Amino acid sequence: MPFQCRIFSLLATLLLTLSAGAAAASPDLGACGEPSWDSPYPDYNTRQVSADATGMDSTAVELAARIRLGWNIGNTLEATGGETGWGNPEVTRELLRLVKDSGFDAVRIPVSWNQHADPATAKINDAWLNRVHEVVRYVIDIDMTVILNIHWDGGWLENNVTPEKQSENNAKQRAYWQQIATHFRDFDERLLFAGTNEPNVDDAEQMAVLASYHQTFVDAVRCTGGKNAYRVLVVQGPSTDIEKTDKLWTGMPDDVLPDRLMAEVHFYTPWNFAGLTRDEDWGIPFYFWGKGNLSETDEARNPTWGEENAVDELFALMKQKFVDRGIPVLLGEYGAIRRSGLDGEALELHLRSRAYYLEYVTRQALANGLLPFYWDNGVLGNFGFGIFDRNNNTVYDAQALAALVSGAGE
């Protein structure tokens, strides 16, 4: 065969291969699922568009590789009564620029939708959709990855993962995600959707219900078309608890496109150190944590469980269950409160313990393929998680910030 003919033949073969690959990667929106229940709400997928892969090239694994350290805008857009309802100011461009400049490369935005919707029709208020859109735009404009979810939201879903509520909640889940997905459809792959927050699940029966909520979420988003046909979506383990997820999880939802899903868990272990504020019948707060940080004068407040070995073992479970199978895992929340009500040597040792905890958990998360997102609720001072003073756009807790950034290897 002449040289020119061989070149033509090779080019033709390459074009046919690329064409076949593109066809295989193009999702069939007609196959993304129809509800199997009666819904009291209108169908909000009234403006479906063709799949649009522009700016949506990355798989879930490829997107995960770009995230080293994430930050939660906690107690804000999910707050009861509106954005400022729990004491934080409105989110600004300046705050998010400070977050990025401080070493974070991704932002998780917890959002409440139910309180901003008509109870009879599940229609979300347009002004609220536009405000959340504005905040997402702030993050995208400074080239950070965004996770947008339905958070606690009064507990309508996450406190009712039960057979009795399954049809009712699937109908609402579909209605909300049809609207959210349509409103945010034009953002590129830097925006990810997360279907729930911390869905309370204790057994296999409830896990089956949760799986239906996840499937409804995936189908509702995909069916809106456009960039949503390719968007990476995040589904949550039972109670976002690592041990429950390892024990009860039965598999990822069906999807019209491969390799576009992530799993999510949260981590406040041991709770005695990370969040417990008073003595309880089942346990007492730990003030100290980790190797070299235990007290010789207040041994009752040293941890009796949940130190470095526990972190290693729990994260390894998620690596084996998901990461090793090509499914990235979002560590959507983690952190430890600041016990600044202590004084003297106890306070110094506690703060050192807390910084070590944040650094260790961040580093081990990344080592096991988990993507760490620190929980910042904006609360400063005693029992707070806040790193940034949002009223003044300044760093409030430099010690904790340095620990997080160091753990992320930044």
Side-chain angles (χ1 to χ4, degrees):
M1 180 185 294
F3 178 78
Q4 292 88 341
C5 293
R6 289 200 301 271
I7 292 296
F8 179 84
S9 177
L10 288 170
L11 287 173
T13 301
L14 178 60
L15 288 171
L16 285 171
T17 302
L18 291 174
S19 176
S26 180
D28 178 7
L29 298 185
C32 58
E34 288 297 327
S36 58
W37 60 87
D38 293 329
S39 175
Y41 310 119
D43 184 350
Y44 287 104
N45 186 24
T46 58
R47 295 188 288 121
Q48 185 189 65
V49 297
S50 300
D52 177 8
T54 308
M56 307 299 291
D57 297 331
S58 301
T59 65
V61 170
E62 289 167 341
L63 277 181
R66 302 176 200 167
I67 298 174
R68 296 291 299 175
L69 187 61
W71 180 78
N72 278 272
I73 313 179
N75 284 23
T76 307
L77 292 166
E78 84 278 28
T80 302
E83 186 172 354
T84 62
W86 288 345
N88 283 311
E90 291 187 350
V91 180
T92 63
R93 293 179 185 274
E94 292 74 21
L95 170 65
L96 292 166
R97 170 54 70 180
L98 172 65
V99 170
K100 180 174 183 177
D101 290 346
S102 296
F104 296 89
D105 50 30
V107 173
R108 179 173 178 260
I109 308 179
V111 181
S112 171
W113 305 95
N114 195 54
Q115 67 171 320
H116 299 283
D118 184 323
T121 64
K123 172 67 175 69
I124 301 171
N125 182 279
D126 288 336
W128 183 245
L129 282 163
N130 290 336
R131 172 54 183 160
V132 179
H133 190 281
E134 183 177 41
V135 175
V136 171
R137 171 55 64 193
Y138 292 164
V139 183
I140 295 293
D141 282 349
I142 54 175
D143 195 25
M144 299 176 79
T145 302
V146 189
I147 313 292
L148 183 68
N149 80 350
I150 291 180
H151 208 67
W152 171 70
D153 211 3
W156 68 267
L157 184 149
E158 68 180 49
N159 292 343
N160 294 286
V161 188
T162 62
E164 294 76 19
K165 286 285 188 177
Q166 186 171 6
S167 293
E168 176 185 335
N169 283 346
N170 269 312
K172 186 178 284 190
Q173 176 84 326
R174 180 173 184 260
Y176 285 165
W177 277 111
Q178 284 179 328
Q179 296 171 78
I180 298 165
T182 299
H183 200 81
F184 293 84
R185 182 166 52 196
D186 293 335
F187 284 107
D188 66 21
E189 66 185 17
R190 289 171 292 180
L191 172 62
L192 290 69
F193 295 147
T196 67
N197 173 49
E198 293 179 347
N200 292 310
V201 169
D202 292 317
D203 54 39
E205 181 181 52
Q206 287 186 291
M207 184 64 232
V209 176
L210 177 59
S212 77
Y213 294 166
H214 288 334
Q215 192 64 59
T216 295
F217 158 63
V218 171
D219 290 344
V221 172
R222 293 286 183 245
C223 285
T224 62
K227 298 184 191 304
N228 290 334
Y230 298 89
R231 193 172 308 284
V232 170
L233 306 178
V234 186
V235 292
Q236 293 63 44
S239 306
T240 55
D241 177 88
I242 289 178
E243 291 177 298
K244 287 184 180 180
T245 300
D246 183 61
K247 178 181 178 182
L248 297 175
W249 187 262
T250 54
M252 302 297 281
D254 293 331
D255 199 0
V256 296
L257 200 65
D259 305 323
R260 300 289 171 132
L261 298 177
M262 293 186 183
E264 180 178 355
V265 292
H266 296 172
F267 191 80
Y268 296 101
T269 300
W271 180 247
N272 307 59
F273 180 75
L276 188 63
T277 59
R278 63 184 182 185
D279 292 0
E280 300 285 358
D281 292 341
W282 54 267
I284 65 174
F286 302 155
Y287 297 164
F288 317 110
W289 191 90
K291 184 178 180 180
N293 296 317
L294 303 187
S295 175
E296 296 180 358
T297 58
D298 193 2
E299 295 182 1
R301 299 300 177 175
N302 287 333
T304 56
W305 67 285
E307 292 185 271
E308 292 96 334
N309 286 345
V311 176
D312 299 346
E313 292 168 4
L314 290 169
F315 288 175
L317 291 177
M318 295 297 92
K319 182 178 185 296
Q320 294 162 11
K321 195 170 193 73
F322 295 108
V323 177
D324 289 346
R325 295 169 48 220
I327 303 169
V329 177
L330 196 74
L331 192 67
E333 295 181 16
Y334 73 107
I337 57 174
R338 182 189 312 101
R339 302 176 189 274
S340 53
L342 302 175
D343 55 27
E345 181 182 336
L347 176 59
E348 180 181 353
L349 185 57
H350 163 69
L351 292 177
R352 192 174 79 199
S353 297
R354 180 170 176 263
Y356 175 64
Y357 174 89
L358 296 178
E359 181 177 7
Y360 192 89
V361 171
T362 303
R363 184 172 63 250
Q364 293 306 105
L366 289 167
N368 285 276
L370 281 65
L371 313 179
F373 281 70
Y374 176 77
W375 176 254
D376 187 331
N377 60 2
V379 176
L380 310 180
N382 199 31
F383 298 146
F385 287 90
I387 290 179
F388 300 104
D389 181 340
R390 302 188 197 177
N391 289 299
N392 299 299
N393 290 329
T394 56
V395 174
Y396 171 79
D397 192 335
Q399 184 182 33
L401 175 59
L404 291 166
V405 171
S406 176
E410 300 290 350

